[in-house]
Amino acid sequence: EKATLGETLGKPFLPFSNELWAIVISFLIFSALVMAATDKNNIEDYDNRSTIAIFFKALYFVLLGYVSGGAVNGPASVPGRTAAIGFGFFVLITLASYTANLATILVSKSTGNGIQSIEQVNRSLGAP
């Protein structure tokens, strides 16, 4: 049976439930708010002084950092650096969890239902 386009596009999201993806997205938005609030005076990263522009630039940094595996901006303040460490820890945990869940999905699909009995093992090994 051939998978539909929607099923194919949805496969990368299978390791996490929809609720967990919602939590991840909520935390990313929260991280952008914290980053914008704690490092708004960093003119190297935020050259525009508009609060909205600073938030959207922080959101860009957070999203890019999440998909690339770590912080991509250079926070100038101590609170900003502390927030970047927290964000980095979040990225570490979510990427490790995603990888572990994906490996579990791939292994369980490749082995079918798994080994059900010792007789099944013996048959696969060619034992009498």
Side-chain angles (χ1 to χ4, degrees):
E1 178 178 325
K2 192 172 181 178
T4 66
L5 178 62
E7 291 170 345
T8 302
L9 293 176
K11 285 184 180 182
F13 300 99
L14 288 178
F16 289 165
S17 66
N18 290 340
E19 293 81 12
L20 187 54
W21 280 117
I23 291 169
V24 167
I25 291 167
S26 298
F27 187 82
L28 294 176
I29 293 168
F30 174 74
S31 294
L33 287 168
V34 170
M35 187 182 295
T38 59
D39 213 35
K40 63 185 172 205
N41 295 323
N42 179 357
I43 58 173
E44 289 185 27
D45 285 341
Y46 306 105
D47 50 353
N48 190 324
R49 302 310 321 149
S50 163
T51 304
I52 298 291
I54 289 172
F55 168 73
F56 279 107
K57 185 90 178 257
L59 186 61
Y60 165 75
F61 285 146
V62 164
L63 294 176
L64 182 60
Y66 187 73
V67 297
S68 65
V72 295
N73 65 321
S77 67
V78 172
R81 290 178 187 144
T82 304
I85 290 171
F87 175 72
F89 185 71
F90 172 76
V91 170
L92 172 75
I93 297 300
T94 56
L95 290 181
S97 299
Y98 180 90
T99 303
N101 287 344
L102 180 60
T104 301
I105 290 169
L106 294 175
V107 168
S108 67
K109 283 187 180 182
S110 69
T111 60
N113 291 331
I115 297 172
Q116 302 297 320
S117 68
I118 192 68
E119 291 81 19
Q120 198 176 16
V121 172
N122 289 335
R123 280 194 303 269
S124 68
L125 295 174

